[in-house]
Amino acid sequence: LDFTAEEIPAPWAVSAGWQVKEGELRGVGPGGLEYRRGVGGDFAFTMRGWTEEKANVEILLMDAEAKPVYTFAFLGRYHSVLDGVKSCLLKGNRFVSVDSRMWIFPGSNCTFAVPRAKNQCQMFLNGVLGPVFRDDAVPDGVDDLRLRVSILTEGTKDAVRVDDVRLAFPGGRR
């Protein structure tokens, strides 16, 4: 995704109030971007991001009703259920893999990667493998999942920057 142009090309969409500036997607407070076309099957998603303060970066794969099927959560804020700041992978609303050694730090540039291949989901932060999950009971409708990047800041005035967004499919499909 090229942030050198003023307009975000379809099928991508960004949160209201977020805008392209100086070659990056920038926002203040919670927001993100969404790929509004199905990403079912194998794919690789990567992006660079920076948050001014504590924030969670979640890459969600959602069904047609916008309900999360898989959530790749890179946490930078305390999570009461996990009792700390961690990275985790969820299927629906159930934790399926948690890594207590991987979290994001405010003020640092991070590279986020989420590849999915042969029903295996993985998370990488700055090139380091984190939570992994192989789904042997794949739910119906996974061929038409939508990808959403949701950045949940601690404050409503915390700055966020996103760049180098890449979504690749095997064999160049889509």
Side-chain angles (χ1 to χ4, degrees):
L1 184 56
D2 185 7
F3 292 121
T4 58
E6 290 294 317
E7 294 290 319
I8 302 293
W12 289 96
V14 299
S15 297
W18 284 42
Q19 62 185 339
V20 174
K21 188 174 182 180
E22 298 177 20
E24 298 175 319
L25 178 61
R26 294 185 181 189
V28 174
L33 65 157
E34 184 174 329
Y35 186 76
R36 295 184 172 171
R37 190 179 295 157
V39 295
D42 299 351
F43 68 89
F45 174 80
T46 60
M47 71 172 217
R48 281 188 317 112
W50 173 89
T51 60
E52 180 178 36
E53 296 294 334
K54 295 176 184 175
N56 295 341
V57 175
E58 297 179 352
I59 292 99
L60 300 102
L61 297 177
M62 303 174 311
D63 65 15
E65 297 171 359
K67 289 193 285 189
V69 176
Y70 301 104
T71 303
F72 306 84
F74 299 89
L75 303 183
R77 296 170 46 192
Y78 181 83
H79 193 287
S80 60
V81 173
L82 296 174
D83 192 27
V85 179
K86 303 172 183 178
S87 286
C88 53
L89 211 157
L90 293 88
K91 179 180 179 184
N93 62 358
R94 193 187 85 210
F95 293 100
V96 293
S97 185
V98 177
D99 187 333
S100 61
R101 298 167 294 144
M102 178 184 283
W103 61 86
I104 57 177
F105 299 93
S108 62
N109 287 308
C110 295
T111 301
F112 304 91
V114 173
R116 182 172 186 273
K118 299 184 182 187
N119 299 333
Q120 181 171 295
C121 301
Q122 301 175 336
M123 297 173 62
F124 291 85
L125 179 63
N126 297 327
V128 177
L129 179 63
V132 175
F133 171 65
R134 177 168 173 78
D135 194 352
D136 292 322
V138 177
D140 292 335
V142 294
D143 291 333
D144 195 32
L145 297 177
R146 305 268 171 114
L147 185 142
R148 176 183 292 163
V149 176
S150 182
I151 302 175
L152 308 163
T153 60
E154 195 164 52
T156 58
K157 297 184 180 186
D158 296 342
V160 176
R161 296 192 312 244
V162 174
D163 199 7
D164 293 333
V165 173
R166 306 271 185 262
L167 180 58
F169 302 97
R173 68 176 171 89
R174 286 201 230 279

